[in-house]
Amino acid sequence: MSVLYKSLPFMNYKSGQHKAIVAIWYAGVLLDDLCGKMLEPLGLTLEQFRILHILRSVHPEPVPVYKIRHYMPVRSDLSRMITSLDKRGLVQKSRSGKDKRVVPVMLTDPGLKLIDTALGKYHDELVSLPILTEIDSVNAIVGMEKFIEHLQRELRKYQQSARTEDI
């Protein structure tokens, strides 16, 4: 009996592709839970980690909140999360001189130290888990890249369709 079946015994898979999609979704849920537990000792939630990670990728440049929102799976509490990080001194918000609605956010030195610590911990703990061999990792990446490209194409179709309906 497979791990997936034991974890989700109620699923009735219609095809191998359906089972793969459910497995990817379920692995994502488990990975989020595990990473959340890893980040707790650092005083970070997974969502806060994602925000800091996005800002780290372009540091020292500021990023408008609307661009951060694009990369976040949960977008509804983004302003509140950024305000919380700002109050903790991990990020700095400012207002754009041209457009007051645009709120650029950038990492502070304490935020940079924390995200670098978190990234090191995250990497060391996850990579040390005997999850995949190097060959399995390469195959997983190739498969996931195909999957992501397909999902992005499908999402663009929906977005274009929604824009056409608005006209």
Side-chain angles (χ1 to χ4, degrees):
M1 187 177 295
S2 76
V3 172
L4 192 58
Y5 180 79
K6 288 178 189 173
S7 301
L8 302 169
F10 53 87
M11 292 300 299
N12 181 17
Y13 304 108
K14 299 185 182 353
S15 66
Q17 288 89 349
H18 180 216
K19 189 172 185 178
I21 289 169
V22 171
I24 291 166
W25 164 77
Y26 188 60
V29 169
L30 292 175
L31 187 59
D32 278 359
D33 287 348
L34 178 61
C35 292
K37 297 293 182 203
M38 289 177 178
L39 294 168
E40 278 178 8
L42 297 174
L44 286 176
T45 65
L46 186 57
E47 292 77 17
Q48 291 170 331
F49 170 80
R50 287 181 175 134
I51 293 167
L52 295 175
H53 192 233
I54 291 165
L55 294 173
R56 178 67 178 105
S57 69
V58 296
H59 182 72
E61 298 300 316
V63 178
V65 172
Y66 73 89
K67 285 189 178 181
I68 296 171
R69 181 170 275 117
H70 176 74
Y71 295 100
M72 296 292 293
V74 178
R75 298 176 178 135
S76 60
D77 289 343
L78 183 60
S79 293
R80 182 186 55 77
M81 286 185 274
I82 290 173
T83 297
S84 171
L85 291 169
D86 185 40
K87 286 180 181 175
R88 290 175 59 190
L90 301 174
V91 301
Q92 181 179 0
K93 297 190 303 184
S94 58
R95 293 276 178 200
S96 171
K98 299 174 188 170
D99 187 345
K100 298 294 181 198
R101 296 171 297 174
V102 176
V103 181
V105 181
M106 62 186 292
L107 277 176
T108 60
D109 287 339
L112 183 62
K113 283 181 187 172
L114 182 60
I115 190 59
D116 285 346
T117 299
L119 286 169
K121 177 180 177 61
Y122 188 78
H123 177 268
D124 293 346
E125 289 190 28
L126 285 177
V127 170
S128 70
L129 296 172
I131 298 173
L132 299 171
T133 66
E134 195 65 32
I135 292 171
D136 288 339
S137 297
V138 169
N139 289 334
I141 290 167
V142 169
M144 288 303 299
E145 285 177 346
K146 289 178 187 176
F147 187 63
I148 290 167
E149 287 173 15
H150 179 75
L151 290 175
Q152 288 173 331
R153 274 195 308 273
E154 290 301 310
L155 184 58
R156 280 192 294 273
K157 286 180 194 175
Y158 278 101
Q159 290 168 335
Q160 290 169 350
S161 173
R163 277 187 238 133
T164 304
E165 291 173 5
D166 288 342
I167 294 176

